Amino acid sequence: KQKNSKVNFSKYFKLDLSFFLLIFSNILIIVFALIDGASLGAILLIYLFQSIIIGFFNFFKIWNLKNFTTDHFRINRRAVEPTVGTKRFTAIFFAFHYGIFHIAYFSFLAGFLNFGISSFWIFVFTASFFISHFISYKQNKENDAKKRHNIGKVMFFPYARIFPMHLTIVFGLAFINSQSVLLFFLILKTIADLIMHQIEHAK
């Protein structure tokens, strides 16, 4: 018999409501940038809040882990056991470290960029991202409980997820000087966002 070579894409791609809401949130920002001529600072401020939202839900993901390992994970250079105390400490440490990281990040943006955006639009875009990530968290909570997670990977994944956004900052400050270039970076960020979303929730 010939082996079935058909690839099961459902193993890698989960096109659920949260996925489409994430697309909608990113497209909303792209449309806003094109119509309103939003500055790079305004766009990055919105993505800063998305980054904080990602960390917010990841804190609860770590806190509520049921079945997890601590392979290759160290606290103060010492191996630890997969206990309730370990995940509680890891969640709190993550919140502290991630929070400090974003305070420094915001200070950097505030010092170099003119945001030029009303608080109303900040609320609208932040709310759209919060709803998207909240639905993603709720939809995947039961599925995540069935997985055997490595707590170290769960803790560090948000940093990998927001890495494209920080690349946008580095390259953006140096090269973004027109709406067309800004649009190019927004599209790249959206694609990266969707890919990382799929990786995080792959079966």
Side-chain angles (χ1 to χ4, degrees), residues 166-189:
H166 297 290
L167 280 182
T168 303
I169 294 173
V170 173
F171 288 102
L173 291 176
F175 300 111
I176 294 180
N177 54 14
S178 68
Q179 287 298 105
S180 59
V181 179
L182 176 60
L183 176 62
F184 173 73
F185 275 95
L186 290 177
I187 293 173
L188 285 183
K189 186 270 176 186

Side-chain angles (χ1 to χ4, degrees), residues 10-11 28 31 45 55 64-65 71 80 86 95 97 112 117 135 137 143 147 152-153 177 187-188 191 198:
S10 64
K11 179 180 180 181
L28 199 63
V31 172
L45 180 62
N64 294 317
L65 283 175
D71 297 342
V80 292
T86 295
H97 186 272
F112 286 90
I117 185 173
I135 292 176
Y137 175 78
N143 184 48
K147 297 178 182 178
K153 291 181 179 179
N177 54 14
I187 293 173
L188 285 183
I191 294 172
Q198 295 292 10

Side-chain angles (χ1 to χ4, degrees), residues 25 49 53 120-134:
S25 298
F49 284 109
I53 290 168
F120 171 77
W121 286 113
I122 292 175
F123 173 79
V124 169
F125 292 122
T126 301
S128 68
F129 277 121
F130 183 88
I131 293 170
S132 171
H133 289 288
F134 173 74

Side-chain angles (χ1 to χ4, degrees), residues 16-143:
D16 54 18
L17 178 60
S18 63
F19 178 83
F20 292 108
L21 283 174
L22 190 60
I23 293 177
F24 174 77
S25 298
N26 280 280
I27 290 178
L28 199 63
I29 292 179
I30 293 174
V31 172
F32 173 74
L34 291 176
I35 295 177
D36 196 63
S39 67
L40 173 63
I43 299 300
L44 293 180
L45 180 62
I46 295 167
Y47 286 152
L48 168 67
F49 284 109
Q50 183 198 10
S51 179
I52 293 172
I53 290 168
I54 289 172
F56 174 80
F57 286 110
N58 198 68
F59 168 83
F60 288 103
K61 185 174 181 178
I62 298 172
W63 189 271
N64 294 317
L65 283 175
K66 302 294 184 183
N67 185 20
F68 66 96
T69 70
T70 54
D71 297 342
H72 310 295
F73 184 66
R74 300 287 186 271
I75 296 178
N76 293 327
R77 299 183 180 180
R78 297 171 58 183
V80 292
E81 297 296 322
T83 63
V84 172
T86 295
K87 71 175 181 179
R88 296 289 190 261
F89 176 86
T90 303
I92 293 171
F93 176 80
F94 167 78
F96 176 79
H97 186 272
Y98 199 80
I100 293 296
F101 178 79
H102 281 78
I103 290 174
Y105 175 35
F106 177 77
S107 299
F108 173 78
L109 289 182
F112 286 90
L113 296 171
N114 177 24
F115 296 133
I117 185 173
S118 70
S119 57
F120 171 77
W121 286 113
I122 292 175
F123 173 79
V124 169
F125 292 122
T126 301
S128 68
F129 277 121
F130 183 88
I131 293 170
S132 171
H133 289 288
F134 173 74
I135 292 176
S136 177
Y137 175 78
K138 295 293 289 186
Q139 286 183 333
N140 291 283
K141 188 175 182 180
E142 183 177 347
N143 184 48

